[in-house]
Amino acid sequence: MTQTGEAASTAKIEQRTSHRVHCTIPLQLAGVDSSGRDFTASSRTEVITRDGGMIITAVSLTIGNQVRLLLDEKSATARIVGMVGIRDEEMAYGIHIFSTSGAAFWGVQFPTTPDISGAGRTVLQCSRCATRRLSELSEVEMMVLENIGVVNLACGRCGNETPWHIPAQVLEVELVSSGADVSKPAVPPAAPRTGNERKHARIAMKNIRACIRRLGMKDEVVEVVDISRGGVRFRTFVDYQNMTYLEVAVPYTEGGANVFVPARIVRVANHPRRPDKKGEFACKYEKRS
């Protein structure tokens, strides 16, 4: 068996038993948003787990930052694991509660499971140094990886937290998870769309920044116009050409644990004209190859 085959087989058999409960619980969220401003805002859960869950909020949050959860008379500290998706004009984030048990904070008794530390295992690769390893993920980390294809983990070679993804050679391996509710059948290629069709609703953003990364070029922080589940539209003085491949992190916080995902320019609304006219570009998220 090849090394890739061995990794695939190992990932395939390392299954874990865990639970995701779809449950709406109103709560208050407090912390610092992606613009560096303190906030307190109403939020709600969409999914809860033993170690955290998925929250829905209109506030733009930074991956890796800590927030405070307030539920009735209870409070807990949680880490933003990743952005999972968009719900109308709100955003969904995976959170990991570490100041107490998730079950105790939610007030929900989960079914008894074997004493195991993770929800699943899969082979992952560091996006910066290309190190590969068999990683044991929590339920929240699995949820983030399944939705956006990237999860932030500590890298011993890089010496800090970096984005990790499934290597191209083992993309055919299903993510290891416990519940049938997260199994996804193969989706046939979508039929070509006309220019007037829009697959994902856009959310206009104010005071939100993204970071554009290209091989051999200096990272560039840009102004975000709007975002959707499929991509991001931004303004910049750099003149990008259509079909340019790049990586983008949004929302972006300098010095934060930002997650960069592959994308390509699919629309040029206008090219920049210095000194005061920025260009406007739209990029679409790409699957890692």
Side-chain angles (χ1 to χ4, degrees), residues 2-282:
T2 65
Q3 184 175 357
T4 299
E6 292 173 348
S9 298
T10 304
K12 196 87 171 178
I13 63 174
E14 291 290 347
Q15 297 190 9
R16 290 291 180 267
T17 302
S18 56
H19 299 273
R20 299 179 193 175
V21 179
H22 289 263
C23 179
T24 301
I25 301 176
L27 70 156
Q28 290 292 113
L29 190 65
V32 178
D33 66 16
S34 60
S35 299
R37 295 175 293 188
D38 294 334
F39 76 91
T40 300
S42 297
S43 179
R44 67 185 183 280
T45 65
E46 184 172 294
V47 174
I48 60 174
T49 70
R50 293 175 179 274
D51 58 353
M54 184 197 304
I55 59 169
I56 310 299
T57 178
V59 180
S60 176
L61 304 175
T62 300
I63 310 306
N65 272 13
Q66 295 182 16
V67 293
R68 195 75 178 161
L69 309 178
L70 307 172
L71 175 60
D72 298 328
E73 300 299 319
K74 295 180 289 186
S75 67
T77 303
R79 174 181 175 272
I80 305 299
V81 177
M83 185 175 178
V84 179
I86 295 175
R87 306 290 187 268
D88 296 325
E89 295 186 356
E90 299 175 304
M91 286 159 282
Y93 293 94
I95 60 166
H96 173 73
I97 297 174
F98 56 84
S99 61
T100 183
S101 78
F105 180 72
W106 301 129
V108 173
Q109 184 175 357
F110 288 82
T112 303
T113 59
D115 184 16
I116 53 176
S117 58
R121 289 182 178 179
T122 188
V123 177
L124 295 178
Q125 177 174 312
C126 176
S127 297
R128 295 184 183 172
C129 69
T131 294
R132 292 186 182 183
R133 73 181 186 214
L134 183 63
S135 299
E136 185 172 272
L137 305 179
S138 70
E139 183 66 20
V140 175
E141 289 169 335
M142 287 294 299
M143 184 167 55
V144 171
L145 184 64
E146 289 164 357
N147 279 272
I148 66 173
V150 179
V151 64
N152 272 30
L153 300 171
C155 177
R157 180 176 294 180
C158 296
N160 55 14
E161 194 174 78
T162 59
W164 291 68
H165 62 273
I166 299 176
Q169 289 87 342
V170 292
L171 278 176
E172 70 277 6
V173 180
E174 295 181 1
L175 292 177
V176 180
S177 57
S178 60
D181 60 315
V182 298
S183 298
K184 298 181 180 179
V187 179
R193 295 185 293 123
T194 66
N196 292 327
E197 292 180 309
R198 182 169 296 166
K199 188 175 182 179
H200 303 298
R202 295 176 180 174
I203 300 177
M205 307 298 288
K206 294 182 179 180
N207 302 318
I208 300 300
R209 301 181 303 167
C211 185
I212 305 297
R213 175 173 291 172
R214 288 184 295 165
L215 185 64
M217 306 293 289
K218 184 179 179 181
D219 289 359
E220 181 203 5
V221 178
V222 301
E223 168 193 354
V224 174
V225 178
D226 55 43
I227 62 175
S228 73
R229 291 182 61 187
V232 57
R233 190 157 54 112
F234 61 92
R235 295 191 183 103
T236 174
F237 281 117
V238 175
D239 193 2
Y240 290 93
Q241 300 303 310
N242 203 26
M243 302 305 290
T244 297
Y245 283 85
L246 45 83
E247 289 189 325
V248 59
V250 59
Y252 172 76
T253 301
E254 186 175 356
N258 300 288
V259 177
F260 286 82
V261 297
R264 63 182 171 91
I265 301 294
V266 293
R267 180 173 178 269
V268 179
N270 60 272
H271 291 281
R273 293 198 302 271
R274 290 185 179 273
D276 58 355
K277 181 69 173 179
K278 289 184 177 181
E280 186 173 294
F281 307 88

